[in-house]
Amino acid sequence: MSARKLALAALFISLSAIGGMIKIPLGIASIALDSMPALVAVLFFSAPLAGTIAAFGHLISALFGGMPLGPFHLIIAFEMWAVVWLFAKLHQSGNQWLKWPAFIIGNGVLAAIPFYFLLSPAFFYASVPGLVIAAAINAGVAAMLMPYVQKVYGGSLHAS
């Protein structure tokens, strides 16, 4: 990876950290705008690197929230990686409409399923509405920003 790509990835991780400080008051202290920069990062990076930005963004956001789920945040970071990886793959294959519901459902519902078994069904049912709302907010902000980022950077956008 070139120094320029590494610096840009670090910038997106930093933006995720800033987004992680913007909490969405929906019950769990680690719900924030941390995944939005990773969604925009698909304009610049491959799916694995965009996913890595999302994973680090979640871990930093969880730290700001006091790590309410302890080591389970490592599972969530992996899930964030997987959901943003899928989002990036859909984006790169031209599925411009499918990528948004895939992100919202993946981040808001599917990623919560392990916690039905690891914590409790009550935790699952209590957290899913907030997770879906937060995923929709992250996706909505990213959807509004992406056309402007594409316009500013024009033909220089390509995945590495």
Side-chain angles (χ1 to χ4, degrees):
M1 178 185 302
S2 70
R4 182 176 182 213
K5 287 284 185 181
L6 186 61
L8 189 58
L11 175 67
F12 274 101
I13 291 170
S14 298
L15 290 171
S16 289
I18 293 167
M21 288 187 253
I22 303 170
K23 299 297 182 191
I24 302 170
L26 295 171
I28 301 173
S30 61
I31 295 179
L33 290 178
D34 57 322
S35 60
M36 182 271 300
L39 298 176
V40 176
V42 305
L43 297 173
F44 297 93
F45 301 112
S46 65
L49 188 50
T52 301
I53 291 167
F56 277 109
H58 170 74
L59 291 173
I60 294 168
S61 176
L63 283 170
F64 289 138
M67 296 290 280
L69 299 176
F72 288 136
H73 283 289
L74 294 173
I75 295 170
I76 298 167
F78 173 76
E79 291 172 332
M80 291 298 302
W81 182 92
V83 169
V84 172
W85 177 89
L86 175 62
F87 179 86
K89 286 295 190 182
L90 291 170
H91 173 80
Q92 293 163 0
S93 69
N95 286 309
Q96 300 306 311
W97 294 105
L98 183 58
K99 67 184 181 185
W100 300 109
F103 173 77
I104 294 167
I105 293 167
N107 192 20
V109 179
L110 298 178
I113 290 173
F115 298 96
Y116 181 95
F117 304 100
L118 293 171
L119 294 176
S120 74
F123 178 84
F124 173 82
Y125 291 118
S127 63
V128 165
L131 291 171
V132 170
I133 292 168
I137 292 170
N138 275 283
V141 173
M144 288 189 291
L145 288 176
M146 287 173 84
Y148 294 106
V149 172
Q150 286 176 314
K151 186 175 181 178
V152 169
Y153 288 96
S156 67
L157 296 177
H158 62 288
S160 64

